Amino acid sequence: MIYQNEDQLKRGCESILTCQEGDVRVLNEPSFREKLIDDLIYTAVFSPDPAIQEAAAYLIRRGAASMGILPASIQSLYEAMGRKEVRGFTVPAINIRGITYHVAQAVFRASMKGNVGPVIFEIARSEIGYTKQRPREYTCNVLAAAIKSGWRGPVFLQGDHFQINAKKFAADGEKETQSVKDLIREAIQAGFYNIDIDTSTLVDLSKATIKDQQRLNYTLAAELTALIRDLEPEGITVSVGGEIGEVGGKNSTVEELQTFMDGYLEELKKRGPALKGISKISVQTGTTHGGVPLADGTVAKVKIDFEVLEKLSETARAEYGLSGAVQHGASTLPDEAFDRFPATGTAEIHLATGFQNIIYDSRSFPGQLRSKIYDHLRGELKGEWKEKDTEEQFIYKTRKKGFGPFKPELWQLPTDVRDEICAELEGKFAFLFDKLMVMGTRPVLDQFIKPADVPLEMPKMLKG
């Protein structure tokens, strides 16, 4: 149900949730989980009334908080990894592009079955656009899924690739930087207490020295870090990530890592002698986002340079106290590759396109809807169809952009169809959690992460 007005919303919450003393209290947890949370999240996502959306979002976020489900920073765990007090696993960071509420439930189910601790839910700047999920909506989807699934404890929400667009920066650097600053502000207000800054697009390999190549990257990364430190709520240190090599470009080197970090720390100190820096560093080791589609639409096998990844992770920990290196573009790798990430000390791994592929390629996915989405791509995105690409390659590269325009149809899939797709995803999540060695790590999470409860302003509709 999508609540159409204030009276409907309040009647729906009656005897289940109450707003007292400026906050939300859950009166009937089973009813909240079994029915009301579904209605609230559909209202928060699909109501045409911004005031109703805001009220539903507030009830989700504060209802979750009252149950001990809180957005959190992974900073203290990553600091322990940097001190080598914690090791042996790689934290999965999962981008969810479509039917987010339902897919996130599959993540939580797999996590609870495996007693998994750290798992990050993230969305990139580009994905926010083409999936039509602003940070507040993404937060509500994940927290609502936690409520529905029975999860308790911290939830890590991350801004992935909060990236400076190189072409836009060249045209108007101040305007493009401000766009990223505005997104950072919006994300922190939404409960994103983990943010990956990506200014690696500004690395200029034509310059003579590595320091000159990285200068704009580390300078702007320090500027954005200082902004984050100014915006972070009391009691929270946002976990910030930096990036030294653009994914899909040339492989990163230890010297590049050292040059970036030395320059970054120097620049950060200028902005405040006590400002805390990044907790991890993203590198390039041979992957591309989404994989490389072949002429028949299948994905080419990619060889990761694990030796480089291991050296970069170790250097990041030993010399700078970081948790280690971050691997992007990994979800389309062959299954046998994943257990090598914990073995090489990789701190975090980003996973996206593989889950999208499971959704679209599932035998349960309605063929008629798939054809409708692909027809839309052929018509609306034909300008992105490169002359050398086959139709299969074009579809593979662009179908991620079907999630936004077809969000209502995807959320309205028959329950049995949606459940079958999510069961496939849950199996994949469980497989990856096992390979990445995060099974059984819940005690580690509870030891190092103590989430702070950040108050929210109650919407006018709910006051009184």
Side-chain angles (χ1 to χ4, degrees), residues 304-318:
I304 289 185
D305 193 331
F306 281 102
E307 185 179 347
V308 168
L309 186 57
E310 185 170 22
K311 286 180 180 177
L312 292 169
S313 282
E314 180 54 32
T315 301
R317 280 188 293 273

Side-chain angles (χ1 to χ4, degrees), residues 2-22:
I2 299 173
Y3 295 118
Q4 301 299 315
N5 53 53
E6 180 180 348
D7 287 340
Q8 276 191 2
L9 177 64
K10 289 185 175 179
R11 283 200 303 271
C13 295
E14 194 173 1
S15 75
I16 301 174
L17 297 181
T18 183
C19 293
Q20 292 181 347
E21 300 177 359

Side-chain angles (χ1 to χ4, degrees), residues 46-64:
F46 292 110
S47 172
D49 184 339
I52 296 286
Q53 276 193 333
E54 181 187 18
Y58 175 85
L59 291 170
I60 292 168
R61 293 179 66 182
R62 294 312 300 163

Side-chain angles (χ1 to χ4, degrees), residues 2 9 28 35 43 45 59 96 105 124 129 133 143 152 172 181 201 234 264 337 344 346 380-381 393 400:
I2 299 173
L9 177 64
N28 187 330
K35 177 68 167 64
T43 300
V45 173
L59 291 170
I96 308 179
Q105 289 178 52
Q133 298 183 96
L143 293 181
R152 288 289 191 277
D172 189 336
K181 288 181 176 180
T201 51
E234 185 178 351
Y264 167 80
T344 53
T346 306
E380 296 299 317
L381 300 179
Q393 287 171 310
K400 63 185 180 182

Side-chain angles (χ1 to χ4, degrees), residues 445-456:
L445 180 71
D446 295 337
Q447 178 184 353
F448 288 98
I449 303 297
K450 309 297 180 188
D453 187 0
V454 178
L456 297 176

Side-chain angles (χ1 to χ4, degrees), residues 9-239:
L9 177 64
K10 289 185 175 179
R11 283 200 303 271
C13 295
E14 194 173 1
S15 75
I16 301 174
L17 297 181
T18 183
C19 293
Q20 292 181 347
E21 300 177 359
D23 209 350
V24 173
R25 190 159 62 92
V26 178
L27 303 175
N28 187 330
E29 192 173 307
S31 294
F32 185 34
R33 179 183 294 119
E34 290 164 16
K35 177 68 167 64
L36 179 57
I37 193 60
D38 294 333
D39 296 341
L40 288 176
I41 190 58
Y42 273 77
T43 300
V45 173
F46 292 110
S47 172
D49 184 339
I52 296 286
Q53 276 193 333
E54 181 187 18
Y58 175 85
L59 291 170
I60 292 168
R61 293 179 66 182
R62 294 312 300 163
S66 74
M67 297 168 67
I69 304 167
L70 293 165
S73 167
I74 204 166
Q75 177 76 21
S76 55
L77 176 59
Y78 278 5
E79 288 177 352
M81 292 167 70
R83 296 190 300 267
K84 300 185 181 181
E85 293 176 17
V86 175
R87 63 179 71 192
F89 60 81
T90 297
V91 176
I94 296 170
N95 302 62
I96 308 179
R97 294 170 176 167
I99 47 175
T100 303
Y101 171 53
H102 308 281
V103 174
Q105 289 178 52
V107 177
F108 283 119
R109 287 195 300 269
S111 296
M112 289 186 293
K113 288 175 184 175
N115 201 29
V116 172
V119 176
I120 295 171
F121 296 85
E122 64 179 3
I123 188 166
R125 182 188 182 190
S126 58
E127 290 172 324
I128 288 170
Y130 64 71
T131 67
K132 301 186 187 300
Q133 298 183 96
R134 299 306 305 177
R136 186 184 73 182
E137 178 181 322
Y138 194 80
T139 294
C140 288
N141 273 315
V142 175
L143 293 181
I147 292 167
K148 187 75 173 179
S149 306
W151 174 264
R152 288 289 191 277
V155 173
F156 302 112
L157 296 155
Q158 180 159 281
D160 176 32
H161 283 300
F162 275 20
Q163 185 180 79
I164 295 289
N165 182 291
K167 289 183 179 178
K168 291 180 180 179
F169 187 85
D172 189 336
E174 187 175 339
K175 181 179 179 182
E176 175 62 6
T177 303
Q178 188 60 49
S179 294
V180 174
K181 288 181 176 180
D182 291 343
L183 180 57
I184 288 171
R185 187 181 304 272
E186 178 186 354
I188 290 176
Q189 289 174 347
F192 281 51
Y193 301 143
N194 309 275
I195 294 177
D196 281 359
I197 295 167
D198 183 5
T199 49
S200 68
T201 51
L202 305 179
V203 172
D204 187 350
L205 297 177
S206 69
K207 293 188 180 295
T209 68
I210 292 177
K211 186 165 186 176
D212 286 338
Q213 292 170 11
Q214 292 281 343
R215 189 182 306 279
L216 194 51
N217 181 18
Y218 65 66
T219 302
L220 197 49
E223 181 180 333
L224 295 176
T225 302
L227 172 70
I228 290 169
R229 297 291 170 239
D230 187 52
L231 294 173
E232 61 193 7
E234 185 178 351
I236 289 177
T237 300
V238 172
S239 172

